Amino acid sequence: SGPAAGTRLTLLPSVRTTWGEWSDRYRNTRVLSLDTGFVRDYGEGVAIRPDTQSDGPLYPVPEVDDRLPPKSRVLGVVVGGVARAYPLDAIEAARIVHDEVGGTRVVLVSPGPGRGVTVYAAGGVTIDRIEGPPDDREAVDTDGLRWFVDEERLLNTRNSRVIPAVASQVLYWFAWSGAYPSTTVWE
């Protein structure tokens, strides 16, 4: 509403990670102070506690899609106008998932459970495994080529070929399916 009415925001690739991994990769990161001058509990998880302690949405929603539990965390992707939801726990456990969305081959890469997922437009590349520490990970494809892994792209270490990240977001199933009622769900 207001001056921005009708403006569409551009969805960008994002990453969910641990503070340790983030600070290892980005050593100059600055953190906001908890000394805000307001009386508020800024303890870990306090702000989201009411949300995480309920089974369903805390506010009214028109309809809840029953294909997944409402508060299941999903990674949502839209490619070529086609929406797809990936149960976050399953993708993080699998670590590498190849799929096709909207006619585009994608690869979803995770360092492991609770550590997030990044989606890349794989093209003809098939990632076989991930190697190395969190701040210096490499993906290895089925041809043995190595790719530097970061939030924005996979970068081939031999020929500098780039595989771009695909915009994605992590959210509750009820929110994703409400926004994209025709979404498919990866199984």
Side-chain angles (χ1 to χ4, degrees), residues 34-71:
L34 298 180
D35 185 13
T36 64
F38 292 93
V39 178
R40 181 177 174 131
D41 185 353
Y42 289 103
E44 185 174 335
V46 171
I48 62 169
R49 191 171 296 139
D51 187 42
T52 58
Q53 291 177 343
S54 70
D55 290 333
L58 293 180
Y59 47 85
V61 294
E63 187 176 323
V64 177
D65 185 320
D66 65 359
R67 290 181 284 172
L68 295 172
K71 289 280 191 85

mmCIF file of all heavy atoms in Angstrom, residues 34-71:
data_model
loop_
_atom_site.group_PDB
_atom_site.id
_atom_site.type_symbol
_atom_site.label_atom_id
_atom_site.label_comp_id
_atom_site.label_asym_id
_atom_site.label_seq_id
_atom_site.Cartn_x
_atom_site.Cartn_y
_atom_site.Cartn_z
ATOM 1 N N LEU A 34 22.492 -6.136 21.699
ATOM 2 C CA LEU A 34 21.226 -6.429 22.382
ATOM 3 C C LEU A 34 20.878 -5.324 23.370
ATOM 4 O O LEU A 34 19.790 -5.307 23.940
ATOM 5 C CB LEU A 34 21.317 -7.771 23.120
ATOM 6 C CG LEU A 34 21.564 -8.985 22.239
ATOM 7 C CD1 LEU A 34 21.622 -10.248 23.081
ATOM 8 C CD2 LEU A 34 20.487 -9.107 21.182
ATOM 9 N N ASP A 35 21.788 -4.376 23.572
ATOM 10 C CA ASP A 35 21.547 -3.241 24.455
ATOM 11 C C ASP A 35 20.818 -2.163 23.658
ATOM 12 O O ASP A 35 21.423 -1.234 23.126
ATOM 13 C CB ASP A 35 22.884 -2.719 24.993
ATOM 14 C CG ASP A 35 22.699 -1.608 26.008
ATOM 15 O OD1 ASP A 35 21.557 -1.404 26.481
ATOM 16 O OD2 ASP A 35 23.704 -0.943 26.322
ATOM 17 N N THR A 36 19.497 -2.304 23.554
ATOM 18 C CA THR A 36 18.695 -1.430 22.704
ATOM 19 C C THR A 36 18.057 -0.258 23.443
ATOM 20 O O THR A 36 17.497 0.628 22.811
ATOM 21 C CB THR A 36 17.550 -2.234 22.053
ATOM 22 O OG1 THR A 36 16.683 -2.703 23.090
ATOM 23 C CG2 THR A 36 18.098 -3.400 21.240
ATOM 24 N N GLY A 37 18.099 -0.300 24.768
ATOM 25 C CA GLY A 37 17.433 0.744 25.525
ATOM 26 C C GLY A 37 15.977 0.407 25.828
ATOM 27 O O GLY A 37 15.277 1.179 26.485
ATOM 28 N N PHE A 38 15.500 -0.731 25.346
ATOM 29 C CA PHE A 38 14.132 -1.179 25.601
ATOM 30 C C PHE A 38 14.170 -2.391 26.518
ATOM 31 O O PHE A 38 15.095 -3.204 26.453
ATOM 32 C CB PHE A 38 13.425 -1.560 24.298
ATOM 33 C CG PHE A 38 13.171 -0.397 23.402
ATOM 34 C CD1 PHE A 38 14.091 -0.057 22.422
ATOM 35 C CD2 PHE A 38 12.041 0.383 23.548
ATOM 36 C CE1 PHE A 38 13.882 1.016 21.577
ATOM 37 C CE2 PHE A 38 11.816 1.463 22.717
ATOM 38 C CZ PHE A 38 12.737 1.794 21.731
ATOM 39 N N VAL A 39 13.149 -2.522 27.353
ATOM 40 C CA VAL A 39 13.048 -3.681 28.222
ATOM 41 C C VAL A 39 12.383 -4.793 27.419
ATOM 42 O O VAL A 39 11.189 -4.739 27.134
ATOM 43 C CB VAL A 39 12.223 -3.367 29.496
ATOM 44 C CG1 VAL A 39 12.094 -4.612 30.362
ATOM 45 C CG2 VAL A 39 12.870 -2.233 30.258
ATOM 46 N N ARG A 40 13.191 -5.738 27.007
ATOM 47 C CA ARG A 40 12.693 -6.846 26.199
ATOM 48 C C ARG A 40 13.655 -8.016 26.344
ATOM 49 O O ARG A 40 14.862 -7.824 26.421
ATOM 50 C CB ARG A 40 12.596 -6.428 24.733
ATOM 51 C CG ARG A 40 12.075 -7.524 23.851
ATOM 52 C CD ARG A 40 11.921 -7.057 22.423
ATOM 53 N NE ARG A 40 11.561 -8.195 21.627
ATOM 54 C CZ ARG A 40 10.567 -8.219 20.774
ATOM 55 N NH1 ARG A 40 9.833 -7.152 20.598
ATOM 56 N NH2 ARG A 40 10.304 -9.295 20.075
ATOM 57 N N ASP A 41 13.102 -9.209 26.369
ATOM 58 C CA ASP A 41 13.931 -10.404 26.458
ATOM 59 C C ASP A 41 14.406 -10.765 25.054
ATOM 60 O O ASP A 41 13.615 -11.180 24.208
ATOM 61 C CB ASP A 41 13.122 -11.552 27.073
ATOM 62 C CG ASP A 41 13.952 -12.802 27.301
ATOM 63 O OD1 ASP A 41 15.125 -12.836 26.869
ATOM 64 O OD2 ASP A 41 13.431 -13.749 27.911
ATOM 65 N N TYR A 42 15.685 -10.600 24.799
ATOM 66 C CA TYR A 42 16.272 -10.921 23.496
ATOM 67 C C TYR A 42 16.949 -12.289 23.507
ATOM 68 O O TYR A 42 17.776 -12.590 22.655
ATOM 69 C CB TYR A 42 17.283 -9.854 23.077
ATOM 70 C CG TYR A 42 16.651 -8.536 22.690
ATOM 71 C CD1 TYR A 42 16.671 -7.458 23.564
ATOM 72 C CD2 TYR A 42 16.036 -8.389 21.459
ATOM 73 C CE1 TYR A 42 16.097 -6.256 23.215
ATOM 74 C CE2 TYR A 42 15.456 -7.186 21.096
ATOM 75 C CZ TYR A 42 15.492 -6.127 21.985
ATOM 76 O OH TYR A 42 14.922 -4.932 21.624
ATOM 77 N N GLY A 43 16.595 -13.129 24.478
ATOM 78 C CA GLY A 43 17.192 -14.459 24.557
ATOM 79 C C GLY A 43 16.898 -15.282 23.314
ATOM 80 O O GLY A 43 15.924 -15.043 22.591
ATOM 81 N N GLU A 44 17.730 -16.297 23.091
ATOM 82 C CA GLU A 44 17.593 -17.142 21.903
ATOM 83 C C GLU A 44 16.222 -17.804 21.865
ATOM 84 O O GLU A 44 15.799 -18.456 22.818
ATOM 85 C CB GLU A 44 18.682 -18.207 21.899
ATOM 86 C CG GLU A 44 18.681 -19.038 20.644
ATOM 87 C CD GLU A 44 19.848 -20.008 20.582
ATOM 88 O OE1 GLU A 44 20.881 -19.738 21.216
ATOM 89 O OE2 GLU A 44 19.709 -21.016 19.895
ATOM 90 N N GLY A 45 15.506 -17.595 20.765
ATOM 91 C CA GLY A 45 14.211 -18.235 20.545
ATOM 92 C C GLY A 45 13.021 -17.579 21.208
ATOM 93 O O GLY A 45 11.880 -17.985 20.986
ATOM 94 N N VAL A 46 13.230 -16.553 22.038
ATOM 95 C CA VAL A 46 12.128 -15.931 22.776
ATOM 96 C C VAL A 46 11.089 -15.323 21.829
ATOM 97 O O VAL A 46 9.889 -15.505 22.008
ATOM 98 C CB VAL A 46 12.647 -14.868 23.763
ATOM 99 C CG1 VAL A 46 11.504 -14.074 24.374
ATOM 100 C CG2 VAL A 46 13.479 -15.527 24.849
ATOM 101 N N ALA A 47 11.533 -14.619 20.792
ATOM 102 C CA ALA A 47 10.607 -13.933 19.884
ATOM 103 C C ALA A 47 9.700 -14.897 19.130
ATOM 104 O O ALA A 47 8.565 -14.558 18.796
ATOM 105 C CB ALA A 47 11.382 -13.062 18.897
ATOM 106 N N ILE A 48 10.185 -16.107 18.855
ATOM 107 C CA ILE A 48 9.382 -17.044 18.065
ATOM 108 C C ILE A 48 8.720 -18.133 18.913
ATOM 109 O O ILE A 48 8.044 -19.000 18.380
ATOM 110 C CB ILE A 48 10.221 -17.688 16.947
ATOM 111 C CG1 ILE A 48 11.369 -18.506 17.527
ATOM 112 C CG2 ILE A 48 10.705 -16.653 15.952
ATOM 113 C CD1 ILE A 48 12.079 -19.371 16.511
ATOM 114 N N ARG A 49 8.904 -18.070 20.234
ATOM 115 C CA ARG A 49 8.363 -19.113 21.100
ATOM 116 C C ARG A 49 6.850 -19.335 20.924
ATOM 117 O O ARG A 49 6.421 -20.483 20.767
ATOM 118 C CB ARG A 49 8.699 -18.824 22.559
ATOM 119 C CG ARG A 49 8.384 -20.001 23.466
ATOM 120 C CD ARG A 49 8.909 -19.801 24.873
ATOM 121 N NE ARG A 49 10.368 -19.737 24.849
ATOM 122 C CZ ARG A 49 11.081 -18.888 25.576
ATOM 123 N NH1 ARG A 49 10.490 -18.029 26.380
ATOM 124 N NH2 ARG A 49 12.396 -18.892 25.507
ATOM 125 N N PRO A 50 6.012 -18.287 20.933
ATOM 126 C CA PRO A 50 4.571 -18.539 20.759
ATOM 127 C C PRO A 50 4.265 -19.254 19.436
ATOM 128 O O PRO A 50 3.403 -20.126 19.367
ATOM 129 C CB PRO A 50 3.945 -17.143 20.768
ATOM 130 C CG PRO A 50 4.939 -16.286 21.481
ATOM 131 C CD PRO A 50 6.291 -16.876 21.160
ATOM 132 N N ASP A 51 4.994 -18.907 18.400
ATOM 133 C CA ASP A 51 4.779 -19.512 17.095
ATOM 134 C C ASP A 51 5.188 -20.980 17.085
ATOM 135 O O ASP A 51 4.482 -21.836 16.563
ATOM 136 C CB ASP A 51 5.580 -18.738 16.044
ATOM 137 C CG ASP A 51 5.281 -19.188 14.642
ATOM 138 O OD1 ASP A 51 4.094 -19.414 14.329
ATOM 139 O OD2 ASP A 51 6.231 -19.323 13.858
ATOM 140 N N THR A 52 6.324 -21.290 17.672
ATOM 141 C CA THR A 52 6.812 -22.666 17.638
ATOM 142 C C THR A 52 6.064 -23.582 18.590
ATOM 143 O O THR A 52 6.104 -24.798 18.438
ATOM 144 C CB THR A 52 8.321 -22.723 17.965
ATOM 145 O OG1 THR A 52 8.541 -22.150 19.247
ATOM 146 C CG2 THR A 52 9.131 -21.991 16.915
ATOM 147 N N GLN A 53 5.362 -23.033 19.572
ATOM 148 C CA GLN A 53 4.640 -23.862 20.532
ATOM 149 C C GLN A 53 3.222 -24.195 20.086
ATOM 150 O O GLN A 53 2.531 -24.945 20.753
ATOM 151 C CB GLN A 53 4.619 -23.186 21.906
ATOM 152 C CG GLN A 53 5.994 -23.152 22.537
ATOM 153 C CD GLN A 53 6.024 -22.432 23.863
ATOM 154 O OE1 GLN A 53 5.121 -21.683 24.204
ATOM 155 N NE2 GLN A 53 7.086 -22.641 24.622
ATOM 156 N N SER A 54 2.793 -23.672 18.953
ATOM 157 C CA SER A 54 1.448 -23.982 18.456
ATOM 158 C C SER A 54 1.551 -24.939 17.274
ATOM 159 O O SER A 54 2.540 -24.933 16.546
ATOM 160 C CB SER A 54 0.727 -22.701 18.032
ATOM 161 O OG SER A 54 1.308 -22.184 16.857
ATOM 162 N N ASP A 55 0.513 -25.750 17.077
ATOM 163 C CA ASP A 55 0.505 -26.688 15.962
ATOM 164 C C ASP A 55 0.096 -26.041 14.648
ATOM 165 O O ASP A 55 0.429 -26.530 13.579
ATOM 166 C CB ASP A 55 -0.442 -27.859 16.246
ATOM 167 C CG ASP A 55 0.086 -28.770 17.336
ATOM 168 O OD1 ASP A 55 1.318 -28.824 17.510
ATOM 169 O OD2 ASP A 55 -0.729 -29.409 18.012
ATOM 170 N N GLY A 56 -0.662 -24.972 14.728
ATOM 171 C CA GLY A 56 -1.160 -24.320 13.521
ATOM 172 C C GLY A 56 -0.808 -22.847 13.504
ATOM 173 O O GLY A 56 -0.129 -22.345 14.405
ATOM 174 N N PRO A 57 -1.275 -22.146 12.493
ATOM 175 C CA PRO A 57 -1.006 -20.711 12.369
ATOM 176 C C PRO A 57 -1.552 -19.935 13.567
ATOM 177 O O PRO A 57 -2.580 -20.302 14.146
ATOM 178 C CB PRO A 57 -1.749 -20.309 11.099
ATOM 179 C CG PRO A 57 -1.983 -21.576 10.360
ATOM 180 C CD PRO A 57 -2.064 -22.655 11.381
ATOM 181 N N LEU A 58 -0.883 -18.853 13.933
ATOM 182 C CA LEU A 58 -1.333 -18.009 15.039
ATOM 183 C C LEU A 58 -2.351 -16.969 14.590
ATOM 184 O O LEU A 58 -2.863 -16.215 15.402
ATOM 185 C CB LEU A 58 -0.135 -17.285 15.666
ATOM 186 C CG LEU A 58 0.877 -18.171 16.381
ATOM 187 C CD1 LEU A 58 2.008 -17.322 16.954
ATOM 188 C CD2 LEU A 58 0.215 -18.976 17.482
ATOM 189 N N TYR A 59 -2.640 -16.939 13.325
ATOM 190 C CA TYR A 59 -3.583 -15.980 12.772
ATOM 191 C C TYR A 59 -4.474 -16.714 11.777
ATOM 192 O O TYR A 59 -4.125 -17.783 11.284
ATOM 193 C CB TYR A 59 -2.849 -14.809 12.102
ATOM 194 C CG TYR A 59 -1.737 -15.259 11.192
ATOM 195 C CD1 TYR A 59 -1.985 -15.606 9.868
ATOM 196 C CD2 TYR A 59 -0.430 -15.369 11.653
ATOM 197 C CE1 TYR A 59 -0.967 -16.037 9.035
ATOM 198 C CE2 TYR A 59 0.594 -15.792 10.822
ATOM 199 C CZ TYR A 59 0.313 -16.122 9.521
ATOM 200 O OH TYR A 59 1.320 -16.543 8.695
ATOM 201 N N PRO A 60 -5.635 -16.134 11.489
ATOM 202 C CA PRO A 60 -6.558 -16.837 10.589
ATOM 203 C C PRO A 60 -6.011 -16.939 9.167
ATOM 204 O O PRO A 60 -5.436 -15.993 8.648
ATOM 205 C CB PRO A 60 -7.823 -15.967 10.599
ATOM 206 C CG PRO A 60 -7.599 -14.904 11.606
ATOM 207 C CD PRO A 60 -6.164 -14.899 12.000
ATOM 208 N N VAL A 61 -6.161 -18.115 8.573
ATOM 209 C CA VAL A 61 -5.823 -18.328 7.170
ATOM 210 C C VAL A 61 -7.030 -18.948 6.501
ATOM 211 O O VAL A 61 -7.786 -19.686 7.136
ATOM 212 C CB VAL A 61 -4.569 -19.224 6.994
ATOM 213 C CG1 VAL A 61 -3.331 -18.538 7.536
ATOM 214 C CG2 VAL A 61 -4.751 -20.561 7.648
ATOM 215 N N PRO A 62 -7.243 -18.652 5.211
ATOM 216 C CA PRO A 62 -8.460 -19.137 4.546
ATOM 217 C C PRO A 62 -8.606 -20.656 4.548
ATOM 218 O O PRO A 62 -9.664 -21.179 4.807
ATOM 219 C CB PRO A 62 -8.331 -18.621 3.120
ATOM 220 C CG PRO A 62 -7.271 -17.582 3.147
ATOM 221 C CD PRO A 62 -6.432 -17.833 4.347
ATOM 222 N N GLU A 63 -7.512 -21.360 4.262
ATOM 223 C CA GLU A 63 -7.592 -22.814 4.163
ATOM 224 C C GLU A 63 -6.184 -23.372 4.362
ATOM 225 O O GLU A 63 -5.211 -22.780 3.931
ATOM 226 C CB GLU A 63 -8.101 -23.205 2.774
ATOM 227 C CG GLU A 63 -8.383 -24.662 2.611
ATOM 228 C CD GLU A 63 -8.990 -24.961 1.238
ATOM 229 O OE1 GLU A 63 -9.779 -24.151 0.732
ATOM 230 O OE2 GLU A 63 -8.634 -26.005 0.688
ATOM 231 N N VAL A 64 -6.097 -24.526 5.018
ATOM 232 C CA VAL A 64 -4.800 -25.149 5.229
ATOM 233 C C VAL A 64 -4.743 -26.421 4.396
ATOM 234 O O VAL A 64 -5.572 -27.316 4.542
ATOM 235 C CB VAL A 64 -4.560 -25.458 6.719
ATOM 236 C CG1 VAL A 64 -3.237 -26.184 6.910
ATOM 237 C CG2 VAL A 64 -4.577 -24.171 7.547
ATOM 238 N N ASP A 65 -3.782 -26.487 3.500
ATOM 239 C CA ASP A 65 -3.561 -27.649 2.645
ATOM 240 C C ASP A 65 -3.092 -28.807 3.519
ATOM 241 O O ASP A 65 -2.124 -28.681 4.265
ATOM 242 C CB ASP A 65 -2.490 -27.280 1.607
ATOM 243 C CG ASP A 65 -2.233 -28.355 0.574
ATOM 244 O OD1 ASP A 65 -2.218 -29.542 0.928
ATOM 245 O OD2 ASP A 65 -2.012 -27.991 -0.599
ATOM 246 N N ASP A 66 -3.750 -29.952 3.421
ATOM 247 C CA ASP A 66 -3.443 -31.064 4.331
ATOM 248 C C ASP A 66 -2.396 -32.045 3.799
ATOM 249 O O ASP A 66 -2.173 -33.096 4.398
ATOM 250 C CB ASP A 66 -4.716 -31.798 4.725
ATOM 251 C CG ASP A 66 -5.402 -32.491 3.559
ATOM 252 O OD1 ASP A 66 -4.913 -32.400 2.412
ATOM 253 O OD2 ASP A 66 -6.447 -33.129 3.802
ATOM 254 N N ARG A 67 -1.698 -31.714 2.709
ATOM 255 C CA ARG A 67 -0.672 -32.627 2.205
ATOM 256 C C ARG A 67 0.516 -32.753 3.157
ATOM 257 O O ARG A 67 1.208 -33.767 3.163
ATOM 258 C CB ARG A 67 -0.183 -32.186 0.819
ATOM 259 C CG ARG A 67 -1.239 -32.399 -0.261
ATOM 260 C CD ARG A 67 -0.718 -31.991 -1.613
ATOM 261 N NE ARG A 67 -0.702 -30.530 -1.729
ATOM 262 C CZ ARG A 67 -0.157 -29.858 -2.729
ATOM 263 N NH1 ARG A 67 0.457 -30.508 -3.706
ATOM 264 N NH2 ARG A 67 -0.202 -28.547 -2.763
ATOM 265 N N LEU A 68 0.771 -31.715 3.943
ATOM 266 C CA LEU A 68 1.819 -31.731 4.964
ATOM 267 C C LEU A 68 1.252 -31.088 6.225
ATOM 268 O O LEU A 68 0.294 -30.309 6.145
ATOM 269 C CB LEU A 68 3.045 -30.927 4.501
ATOM 270 C CG LEU A 68 3.830 -31.443 3.295
ATOM 271 C CD1 LEU A 68 4.883 -30.412 2.874
ATOM 272 C CD2 LEU A 68 4.481 -32.768 3.612
ATOM 273 N N PRO A 69 1.830 -31.364 7.392
ATOM 274 C CA PRO A 69 1.395 -30.651 8.597
ATOM 275 C C PRO A 69 1.607 -29.151 8.416
ATOM 276 O O PRO A 69 2.598 -28.731 7.809
ATOM 277 C CB PRO A 69 2.304 -31.219 9.693
ATOM 278 C CG PRO A 69 2.744 -32.548 9.180
ATOM 279 C CD PRO A 69 2.844 -32.382 7.678
ATOM 280 N N PRO A 70 0.691 -28.326 8.929
ATOM 281 C CA PRO A 70 0.748 -26.880 8.689
ATOM 282 C C PRO A 70 2.085 -26.235 9.042
ATOM 283 O O PRO A 70 2.555 -25.352 8.343
ATOM 284 C CB PRO A 70 -0.358 -26.308 9.569
ATOM 285 C CG PRO A 70 -1.247 -27.449 9.877
ATOM 286 C CD PRO A 70 -0.443 -28.692 9.769
ATOM 287 N N LYS A 71 2.722 -26.664 10.120
ATOM 288 C CA LYS A 71 3.961 -26.042 10.568
ATOM 289 C C LYS A 71 5.212 -26.760 10.076
ATOM 290 O O LYS A 71 6.314 -26.507 10.551
ATOM 291 C CB LYS A 71 3.990 -25.965 12.098
ATOM 292 C CG LYS A 71 3.019 -24.959 12.677
ATOM 293 C CD LYS A 71 3.591 -23.567 12.590
ATOM 294 C CE LYS A 71 2.804 -22.554 13.367
ATOM 295 N NZ LYS A 71 3.147 -22.450 14.753
#
